[in-house]
Amino acid sequence: MQDVFTGLLTLVIGVVLCFGGHRFFRVLMVLVGFTAGFVLGGSGVAAFGKGPFLGDLTGWIVAIVVGLALAGLAIPFYAAGVAVLGGVVAYLVTTGVMAYLGYGLGTLSQAAGIVAGALAIVLIYLFRVHRLLVIAVTAAAGAGAILAGVLVLLGKIAFDVASATDPTAVIRSTPLWLLLAIVLFLAGIGAQWSIRSKPSPPPAPTTTPPAPVPATPSEAAQPDPSPTASPDTTPTAPPK
């Protein structure tokens, strides 16, 4: 029952991210900024005081303050955050591809990932492709989540950390899963791009009456053609 619930939840989140993730990306960045700041602040206090993570009130206060600070910085520094995110994604994708090709996660894969991440950050800043990057990242994350949910529901992989199997081994077992992920990724990019590119509806026409046209001086000088009552000029009889 737990695997069914986890698989369905992962599947639903994947569908939302894959086909409409750009709508929630700013909120996601704020949440990620708060989480990273919370962990960083709590870990810093724990390392400085040589105690457990969030072991006292000071650790909680510092973690919350640092988390709120990074969450607030995620909005004005949106472009920088997207560029760094692109570098992280490029690093993860490169190391994943190297591991998939059989090179493992050694020094060569790490070096290739670092070079790819730095190059991605530079290219994103130079060409300003933040919008396309957000769509691609959310589509890729959503496609991966959909695939993970399907594999969990089919019993191919277990979500339990103690008994979890290597997901790359399952994906390598048949090209169907990799093909499904690629199709979902491309479909997610197409759906999100069509939503962002949809033109806004034209404004409704106003129904105010037209303003009266002022009369020209020549028209104002002409006499009024409407008939007026003329005085009575009929002669009267003289009195007797």
Side-chain angles (χ1 to χ4, degrees):
M1 187 63 184
Q2 181 180 0
D3 289 342
V4 174
F5 175 77
T6 304
L8 288 176
L9 181 61
T10 307
L11 185 62
V12 171
I13 294 175
V15 171
V16 173
L17 279 177
C18 186
F19 299 101
H22 68 277
R23 295 177 178 270
F24 312 100
F25 189 75
R26 290 182 181 272
V27 179
L28 182 63
M29 285 194 64
V30 173
L31 293 177
V32 171
F34 177 79
T35 303
F38 186 86
V39 173
L40 181 63
S43 301
V45 172
F48 183 78
K50 297 182 179 180
F53 178 72
L54 301 178
D56 53 5
L57 182 60
T58 304
W60 279 95
I61 294 176
V62 173
I64 293 175
V65 170
V66 177
L68 291 176
L70 290 186
L73 291 175
I75 298 177
F77 293 98
Y78 172 77
V82 172
V84 173
L85 176 64
V88 173
V89 171
Y91 168 82
L92 294 176
V93 170
T94 303
T95 53
V97 169
M98 296 289 287
Y100 182 82
L101 294 177
Y103 292 96
L105 296 176
T107 305
L108 180 62
S109 298
Q110 299 294 328
I114 292 174
V115 172
L119 183 62
I121 293 176
V122 173
L123 292 178
I124 291 167
Y125 260 111
L126 288 178
F127 295 100
R128 298 294 179 180
V129 289
H130 300 89
R131 173 184 174 184
L132 181 59
L133 177 65
V134 169
I135 292 176
V137 168
T138 53
I146 292 174
L147 182 60
V150 171
L151 292 176
V152 170
L153 290 175
L154 294 178
K156 299 293 183 180
I157 59 175
F159 203 82
D160 187 11
V161 177
S163 59
T165 56
D166 185 9
T168 59
V170 178
I171 296 174
R172 285 196 301 265
S173 63
T174 174
L176 177 62
W177 303 120
L178 183 59
L179 180 62
L180 177 61
I182 295 174
V183 170
L184 289 172
F185 171 68
L186 296 177
I189 289 180
Q192 294 193 52
W193 188 266
S194 63
I195 294 174
R196 289 294 300 266
S197 303
K198 185 180 296 183
S200 57
T206 57
T207 57
T208 55
V213 180
T216 59
S218 60
E219 292 177 350
Q222 293 180 358
D224 190 3
S226 60
T228 57
S230 58
D232 188 7
T233 56
T234 305
T236 57
K240 295 182 180 180

